[in-house]
Amino acid sequence: LLFLWSITVSIFGIGGLLGSSGSRYLTVKYGKKKCLLCNNLLMIAAASIMGCSKIAQSFEMILIGRFMCGISAGVCVPLHHQYVGEISPRKLRGFGNSTSSFFWALGKAVGQISGQRELLGSQSLWPMLMASCGLPALVQLVTLPFFPESPPYLLMHKGDQEGCKKAIRQLWGEGHHQAEIDDIMKEKATMKNTKILSVLELMREPAFRWQLYMIVILTATVQLCGINAV
């Protein structure tokens, strides 16, 4: 039982590793908005599987659901940052990106509070608690179709300048946005002359070694601070 419980907890991280590894390929091929929409479907499916695990009397459904949740979270974490940053006006871009960390912390707090035995952590209500991760995904699935695709993605990867201008006007209102379009074009020109490193190439590159050490140490110590034990 202890082994199964440990696997149930840790399989989320394994799914997250796989999801984050494939997020770049998916966003370049299909676009950020489409990836987010499909990712919401994956999260809703995972929530449904975990929510029905008690009725089906199957702990395997919890394992499968947790793994799918991990993949969804792994795709969403880098993708959400990129999409929010790219659709935000320049003066609000930093604020938009910082909201991600705020809502992650808020979500963890709400999850821990909801998991108390006096609330949804009781013997009869815990399936609702496990299925609750599908609610934010459902909200985003309903609202996201009203948002345009990321303007930089449309211009840099699709070459759709008119679509980019239309998305910018829809997001930021009517006005003169040529400066933002010029910035995207400069970034596109820069990327043509920049080699995109794979994970292995990044680890072997001496110029980035100390930055990589710092990120790994910071990330590892965050995991060891006790939040997972709580």
Side-chain angles (χ1 to χ4, degrees):
L1 286 176
L2 181 61
F3 174 75
L4 287 174
W5 179 246
S6 301
I7 292 294
T8 303
V9 172
S10 59
I11 201 168
F12 178 89
I14 298 172
L17 178 63
L18 294 175
S20 59
S21 299
S23 62
R24 179 185 172 275
Y25 169 78
L26 293 172
T27 53
V28 171
K29 185 171 179 62
Y30 299 107
K32 296 175 176 63
K33 180 182 173 181
K34 287 181 181 178
C35 284
L36 282 172
L37 285 170
C38 294
N39 196 48
N40 290 325
L41 292 173
L42 179 63
M43 181 63 81
I44 291 171
S48 302
I49 290 172
M50 292 190 293
C52 296
S53 59
K54 185 178 181 182
I55 297 174
Q57 296 183 348
S58 170
F59 72 88
E60 293 89 350
M61 292 176 68
I62 301 177
L63 279 167
I64 295 169
R66 287 274 298 171
F67 181 67
M68 291 171 63
C69 273
I71 294 175
S72 178
V75 172
C76 182
V77 167
L79 183 56
H80 182 265
H81 266 302
Q82 293 173 26
Y83 185 70
V84 170
E86 290 176 3
I87 67 173
S88 300
R90 185 186 300 176
K91 61 182 179 181
L92 297 175
R93 198 161 293 162
F95 173 76
N97 280 326
S98 66
T99 58
S100 301
S101 300
F102 170 78
F103 282 110
W104 288 340
L106 181 63
K108 288 180 180 179
V110 170
Q112 289 176 1
I113 293 169
S114 302
Q116 298 301 310
R117 289 186 176 87
E118 294 80 8
L119 298 174
L120 296 179
S122 64
Q123 190 171 355
S124 59
L125 296 178
W126 66 262
M128 292 180 60
L129 177 66
M130 300 204 73
S132 62
C133 60
L135 183 60
L138 181 61
V139 172
Q140 191 178 68
L141 184 66
V142 173
T143 57
L144 195 59
F146 297 98
F147 286 78
E149 181 56 87
S150 161
Y153 173 80
L154 291 172
L155 188 57
M156 294 170 63
H157 295 283
K158 293 296 184 181
D160 186 1
Q161 190 162 351
E162 287 303 315
C164 175
K165 290 179 180 179
K166 183 180 177 181
I168 287 176
R169 286 194 295 268
Q170 184 179 345
L171 289 164
W172 305 341
E174 296 293 336
H176 187 68
H177 302 297
Q178 189 60 41
E180 285 80 2
I181 295 174
D182 291 341
D183 285 343
I184 298 172
M185 293 299 293
K186 288 178 184 177
E187 185 179 350
K188 182 179 181 179
T190 303
M191 286 183 65
K192 284 184 177 179
N193 301 320
T194 304
K195 181 185 177 184
I196 298 176
L197 302 177
S198 67
V199 175
L200 289 176
E201 289 173 335
L202 178 65
M203 294 174 69
R204 292 170 182 166
E205 180 62 45
F208 300 123
R209 192 154 294 162
W210 284 107
Q211 294 92 322
L212 189 63
Y213 289 160
M214 186 181 299
I215 291 171
V216 170
I217 291 170
L218 284 172
T219 307
T221 50
V222 166
Q223 297 302 314
L224 296 171
C225 72
I227 183 66
N228 293 327
V230 170

